[in-house]
Amino acid sequence: AQSVSQHNHHVILSEAASLELGCNYSYGGTVNLFWYVQYPGQHLQLLLKYFSGDPLVKGIKGFEAEFIKSKFSFNLRKPSVQWSDTAEYFCAVNANTGFQKLVFGTGTRLLVSP
Amino acid sequence: DSGVTQTPKHLITATGQRVTLRCSPRSGDLSVYWYQQSLDQGLQFLIQYYNGEERAKGNILERFSAQQFPDLHSELNLSSLELGDSALYFCASSPARGGTDTQYFGPGTRLTVL
């Protein structure tokens, strides 16, 4: 069975600081990887996704993530965070078997202070 | 706005009762997914329907059932409710039935069981 670990449960940063959120997954086969964001009181929105090709993926709002197959990792990064990035971030994976069952990590709450 | 709508937004009910949550997918999307988000379990996949048929099943209790109608909207039925069923229930939709589809999430229904 697949599983996803997000090691940072709470992160507090000042504006303009750099962000890196860790995500590791457990699955022996080919996977599709996603980062979703949930702003306070809102629904989940897709930040970026990786299916194949260039392991460095760029998403919306200046976010990017790097897939490192050997480390089973898909870390999310942003060079300079803004107060509006305060949200909860979820890493998710699905096995590339044709099914779309997303397995989510426990989420990381990011608080950006102005 | 993802284009996925869910009703009601909030639902408060008592233990032992039965409720129905409704989801309308984005126009043209054939797949509907249900997820449960709770403090102790995180975000968990419940079930997927594709064009009216059950496609994949996750950690869905026997007391819960779902269906997708010919107009592609879906309903999640929760019966014999327990305190532990209190959670945020998300619906998501995608164009096709699996693989590399992106899932678009609705705003969720917050269920409180008293």
Side-chain angles (χ1 to χ4, degrees):
Chain A
Q2 306 143 53
S3 66
V4 179
S5 296
Q6 290 183 245
H7 310 294
N8 315 102
H9 297 295
H10 292 90
V11 173
I12 301 173
L13 294 173
S14 300
E15 274 194 317
S18 64
L19 170 71
E20 180 157 4
L21 301 182
C23 172
N24 287 90
Y25 67 92
S26 148
Y27 182 69
T30 305
V31 293
N32 302 313
L33 297 153
F34 306 80
W35 274 98
Y36 279 85
V37 61
Q38 189 175 25
Y39 296 104
Q42 295 191 26
H43 59 87
L44 285 157
Q45 300 175 41
L46 182 69
L47 270 181
L48 46 78
K49 59 188 178 184
Y50 173 80
F51 296 150
S52 64
D54 188 345
L56 185 61
V57 180
K58 294 196 184 299
I60 61 171
K61 305 187 181 188
F63 286 91
E64 64 178 33
E66 185 175 13
F67 170 52
I68 303 179
K69 191 174 180 180
S70 61
K71 294 185 178 180
F72 297 89
S73 70
F74 190 55
N75 292 353
L76 181 71
R77 300 194 291 248
K78 186 170 184 178
S80 174
V81 294
Q82 301 172 310
W83 174 79
S84 58
D85 293 323
T86 294
E88 190 159 14
Y89 293 81
F90 293 91
C91 181
V93 61
N94 76 341
N96 194 8
T97 57
F99 290 93
Q100 259 282 1
K101 169 190 168 181
L102 280 176
V103 176
F104 283 88
T106 50
T108 297
R109 286 187 187 271
L110 171 65
L111 175 62
V112 180
S113 56
Chain B
D1 186 357
S2 66
V4 178
T5 59
Q6 289 186 248
T7 55
K9 272 191 165 180
H10 302 276
L11 200 46
I12 301 174
T13 189
T15 53
Q17 295 298 304
R18 173 189 168 93
V19 296
T20 298
L21 313 184
R22 182 188 169 104
C23 168
S24 293
R26 293 185 324 153
S27 177
D29 283 0
L30 298 179
S31 271
V32 169
Y33 313 79
W34 287 97
Y35 292 86
Q36 180 194 57
Q37 186 180 32
S38 62
L39 282 175
D40 54 344
Q41 300 282 343
L43 253 170
Q44 293 218 334
F45 168 76
L46 295 177
I47 197 164
Q48 176 197 359
Y49 276 82
Y50 171 74
N51 205 20
E53 293 192 5
E54 185 183 300
R55 171 82 175 149
K57 222 167 182 175
N59 300 323
I60 188 165
L61 299 170
E62 283 194 14
R63 300 184 285 109
F64 296 1
S65 64
Q67 53 185 326
Q68 186 179 28
F69 295 86
D71 67 352
L72 301 176
H73 90 272
S74 176
E75 291 181 356
L76 179 67
N77 300 297
L78 316 176
S79 61
S80 303
L81 285 168
E82 302 174 0
L83 295 177
D85 297 328
S86 295
L88 196 51
Y89 291 84
F90 285 108
C91 165
S93 73
S94 73
R97 59 182 174 180
T100 56
D101 265 12
T102 294
Q103 293 182 29
Y104 296 87
F105 283 77
T109 292
R110 184 169 293 282
L111 173 66
T112 303
V113 182
L114 301 174

